[in-house]
Amino acid sequence: MYAIMGATGNTGSIVAKTLLGRNEKVRAIGRSAERLTPLTAEGAEPFVCDVNDAAALTKAFAGAKAVYAMIPPSSTSDDYRAEQDRVINAIAEAVQHAAVEYVVSLSSVGADQPQGTGPVAGLHNLEQTLNRIPDLNVLHLRPGYFMENTLAQIGIIKTMGLTAGPLRPDLMLPMIATRDIGRAAASALLALDFTGKQTHELLGERDLSYAEAATIIGEAIGKPGLKYLQVPDQQVRGAFLQMGMSANVADLILEMSAALNSGVMKSLEERTAENSTPTSFETFVAEEFVPRYRGKATST
C-alpha cells in the first residue's frame, strides 16, 4: 500500500490515479472527505487528516511500503515558512514512528540553497530533515517552474492586453507541467529502486522564457504578438494582495523571483532524457490554458 499526501492536488492526484491504474493499493491523504470522493470511487482508501498532526500522519503512513510526501501550498498564511516547518516536523515524526522505508518527496529546483529562495527554502528544510532519518531511503524530486503558474496571466491578459510579472523576460526557465511531476513520482514509487538520500531534477520538455511563453499563449488565444512585461516588485506585490494573497506569501514569492532572476536559484543538472519530461508548453496551453481563458476549465 502507498500513502499519498496531497492526494487531491495537482501532483498528488496524478500519483494516486497512476498507482490505482496499476492496481496498487492507495491510501489517499487529504483535508476533505468530499474532495477525496473521486479517488475513493476509483478504489483508494480515503484518509482525512491535518498534516500538522504527527499522530494522525503516523496512522496515515502505517503499513505503507512507501510515502509520497509534500507540503500543501498556502496563499493566505501569515507565516508560511513556520507553517512549512510544522508540516515537515510532522512528516518526519510520522515516517519514523510508522517505520516507513521509502519516501518520494516533492521538492524544487533551488532546494540546494538554505535561504533567500522564498518558499523553496522550506523545501530545503524538508530535504535536510528527511535526510537525517537513519535507514530511510528518500528520493527528493526537484521540478522546475510549474507551467500552471502561467494561469495567473489569464486575468492580466484580459485587463491589460499583455502578460506581466516580476521575472526577467529573457530568463530561461525549465517549465514543467505538474502532471509530469505526478507521473515521475508514481514511476519512482512503483520502482522503489533508490537507496539512501538522493535528488533528481525534473526539467520539463525544454527551457522557455516568459517572452517566449507569451508568444505561444498569444498564438493559441488569437492574440498574435502578445507581449510580456517585467513589472516592478511593488506593483506585483499590490496585485498579489488584490488577488487575496497574504503579505507574507507575496513577499516570499517575490524573494523567489529575485533568486531566479539573479541565478541563485537554478537547475544543477545538465538536461538529459532522464530529467526531461514529455509535456510541451504548447500542449499545456492548448489543454489547460486555453479552456480556462475561455471560461471552460478542464476536469482533472
Side-chain angles (χ1 to χ4, degrees), residues 203-223:
L203 303 180
E205 186 256 354
R206 70 189 192 277
D207 289 2
L208 279 173
S209 69
Y210 249 99
E212 292 170 324
T215 298
I216 293 167
I217 291 169
E219 291 293 334
I221 63 173
K223 291 183 178 294

Side-chain angles (χ1 to χ4, degrees), residues 127-148:
E127 290 190 11
Q128 295 302 309
T129 301
L130 291 177
N131 286 350
R132 287 193 290 269
I133 299 176
D135 302 321
L136 176 66
N137 302 298
V138 58
L139 175 64
H140 304 293
L141 295 180
R142 291 179 174 177
Y145 188 87
F146 289 5
M147 291 181 185
E148 280 76 2

Side-chain angles (χ1 to χ4, degrees), residues 151 154-155 158 217-223 285-298:
L151 294 173
I154 291 172
K158 290 185 175 182
I217 291 169
E219 291 293 334
I221 63 173
K223 291 183 178 294
V285 169
E287 296 180 357
E288 303 289 341
F289 193 100
V290 172
R292 285 169 172 79
Y293 181 82
R294 293 176 178 163
K296 300 174 184 176
T298 57

Side-chain angles (χ1 to χ4, degrees), residues 94-135:
V95 163
Q96 293 176 89
H97 288 168
V100 174
E101 292 185 34
Y102 291 91
V103 170
V104 173
S105 83
L106 177 60
S107 186
S108 171
V109 161
D112 55 295
Q113 299 293 327
Q115 59 190 16
T117 57
V120 176
L123 300 177
H124 173 85
N125 189 29
L126 172 66
E127 290 190 11
Q128 295 302 309
T129 301
L130 291 177
N131 286 350
R132 287 193 290 269
I133 299 176
D135 302 321

Side-chain angles (χ1 to χ4, degrees), residues 4-17 28-40 47 68 70 300:
I4 309 301
M5 294 185 68
T8 62
N10 284 340
T11 63
S13 63
I14 298 297
V15 177
K17 289 175 183 177
I29 304 167
R31 290 175 283 190
S32 162
E34 182 179 358
R35 292 191 64 197
L36 287 169
T37 299
L39 288 174
T40 304
F47 196 100
Y68 177 63
M70 54 88 67
T300 57

